[in-house]
Amino acid sequence: MSAPERIPPRGVTSDGRTSAAVLLAEGELTVRGQVREASNAVLYCSVSYEGREAACVYKPVAGERPLWDFPDGTLAQREVAAYEVSEATGWGLVPPTVLREGPYGQGMCQLWIEGVPGSELLALVDGEEAGEGWKAVGLAEVGDGRTALLVHADDRRLRRLAVLDAVINNADRKGGHLLPAAEDRLYGIDHGVTFNVEDKLRTLLWGWAGEPLTDEAVDVLKRLRDSLGDGGELTAKLAPLITAAELDATRGRVAALLRTGRHPEPSGEWPAIPWPPV
């Protein structure tokens, strides 16, 4: 018997869906293990369909821990919504993600991405200057009464992700949610706490706060604005996943980014950095 075909994240089928998304949605899901350190149920699985196979993560709605500021049973839909916005940007920053039935009921199913070691995106440095190639986030306590400057790489991929997080209102962009991958790609994962109506942006990627958006980002935001209009393609994809008020708030964040032309700054009304940061 020949080995199953491995599926690439970005292959596209004739109907416009990524081949990975088709596999995730239609394939047979088999649980192989559990990611123990996660706060919600996260199951490591394999999925197979028509001779193709891939590793994936399955997060059943039944395993979601209730949160005070998000409606119960909605985190899986928000993960899928984040993927749809990522695809609409053309940046492909979120691994293929679908909503489907699984062994423990409906849940989010996302392609497993193997991280590539050795890509340094975050660091703690002594002194008050980030240094060439780095952007300062803020001072952090490192024990014994010492502080160090938390920095992230001045990286085009991270800057794109910072724009995506501003659009989806990501309340939990930790270092462990950044996955450098093969072919110089970067993925962000764990988008369950997104799309809240209130401003909850909480991230380690504040290095560009207040700086002008790149021309590329402005062009992407204009496309998102158009796609989020009445009858827009992205509107149709998000409407079943988030509330009407959350969809309107997403439009408002895109409009605000285009109006200011700058990366957002911490609001002061919500902790700016997630804890723990990794």
Side-chain angles (χ1 to χ4, degrees), residues 20 25-27 56 70 90 117 136-137 163-164 191 194 197 199 213 221 229 242 250-251 273:
E26 306 294 338
C56 62
F70 285 84
V137 178
V163 174
L164 176 66
H191 297 106
T194 49
V197 171
D199 180 9
L213 295 165
L221 289 165
I242 59 177
T250 303
R251 295 183 180 114
I273 296 177

Side-chain angles (χ1 to χ4, degrees), residues 6 24 27-35 41-48 53-60 100-104 108-114:
R6 293 290 171 175
L24 293 170
E28 180 180 357
L29 199 60
T30 303
V31 177
R32 303 295 184 186
Q34 183 175 3
V35 180
V42 180
L43 303 177
Y44 177 76
C45 302
S46 63
V47 61
S48 58
E53 183 177 84
C56 62
V57 169
Y58 163 53
K59 298 182 182 180
R100 62 162 292 169
E101 289 294 324
Y104 299 101
M108 175 277 267
C109 191
Q110 184 175 82
L111 189 70
W112 179 271
I113 300 295
E114 287 291 344

Side-chain angles (χ1 to χ4, degrees), residues 77-138:
Q77 291 95 317
R78 294 170 193 279
E79 295 239 31
V80 179
Y83 166 69
E84 295 293 357
V85 175
S86 168
E87 287 299 283
T89 65
W91 288 333
L93 295 168
V94 178
T97 311
V98 302
L99 195 65
R100 62 162 292 169
E101 289 294 324
Y104 299 101
Q106 189 180 66
M108 175 277 267
C109 191
Q110 184 175 82
L111 189 70
W112 179 271
I113 300 295
E114 287 291 344
V116 175
S119 180
E120 204 172 4
L121 299 175
L122 298 165
L124 288 168
V125 299
D126 293 325
E128 299 180 356
E129 298 294 331
E132 186 176 357
W134 297 90
K135 304 290 287 187
V137 178

